[in-house]
Amino acid sequence: MALEWVVLGYAAGAEAIMVLLLTIPGLDGLRRGLIAVTRNLLKPFLSVVPFCLFLLMDIYWKYEMRPSCEGESCTPTEHLRHQKSIMKSQRNALLIAAALVFYWLLYSVTNLVVKIEQLNQRVERLKNKD
């Protein structure tokens, strides 16, 4: 199961880097190529959404099927294992949320940058006509 989380972490990291590169000022020459790459990667990155939903259901299933460790019924080792499991589930839920938010940001920022480029081209055409 660890491979799924590594893949999701790399996807979230790639999305974060692309959002960062699209929003940094002063990269106008690089931005055009980056826009083309990002627009082509938006559809494959959409597979992150159902993947995150699957992993969220996996966390929920593990939470429901986890043996409870309350009171003095469990040993310190079992109590520690229970606490580690809860912390891993919380960490994984944060990773899921980050991947979904970064996809949404990447989609929104890419659309805004494309609209800005189109408006800049329209302004240039209007200036050339006059």
Side-chain angles (χ1 to χ4, degrees), residues 72-113:
E72 298 179 17
S73 65
C74 59
T75 66
T77 306
E78 290 173 341
H79 185 66
L80 184 61
R81 185 180 309 132
H82 180 71
Q83 291 298 324
K84 282 184 179 180
S85 176
I86 289 173
M87 288 183 61
K88 282 183 181 179
S89 295
Q90 290 171 347
R91 178 199 63 202
N92 293 340
L94 283 174
L95 182 60
I96 289 170
L100 292 174
V101 166
F102 280 132
Y103 180 78
W104 176 74
L105 281 173
L106 183 64
Y107 179 79
S108 300
V109 167
T110 303
N111 282 338
L112 287 174
V113 170

Side-chain angles (χ1 to χ4, degrees), residues 13-89:
E15 291 169 351
I17 289 170
M18 282 190 253
V19 167
L20 186 66
L21 288 175
L22 281 174
T23 56
I24 290 178
L27 298 177
D28 295 330
L30 181 66
R31 187 166 290 131
R32 290 182 189 207
L34 191 60
I35 290 171
V37 169
T38 304
R39 287 182 77 185
N40 289 333
L41 286 177
L42 278 175
K43 283 186 182 177
F45 272 158
L46 185 61
S47 64
V48 166
V49 175
F51 189 60
C52 285
L53 293 176
F54 167 74
L55 292 175
L56 197 60
M57 290 183 346
D58 182 52
I59 290 173
Y60 178 74
W61 181 81
K62 286 180 181 177
Y63 177 77
E64 288 295 319
M65 298 300 161
R66 178 179 25 231
S68 64
C69 189
E70 299 171 358
E72 298 179 17
S73 65
C74 59
T75 66
T77 306
E78 290 173 341
H79 185 66
L80 184 61
R81 185 180 309 132
H82 180 71
Q83 291 298 324
K84 282 184 179 180
S85 176
I86 289 173
M87 288 183 61
K88 282 183 181 179
S89 295

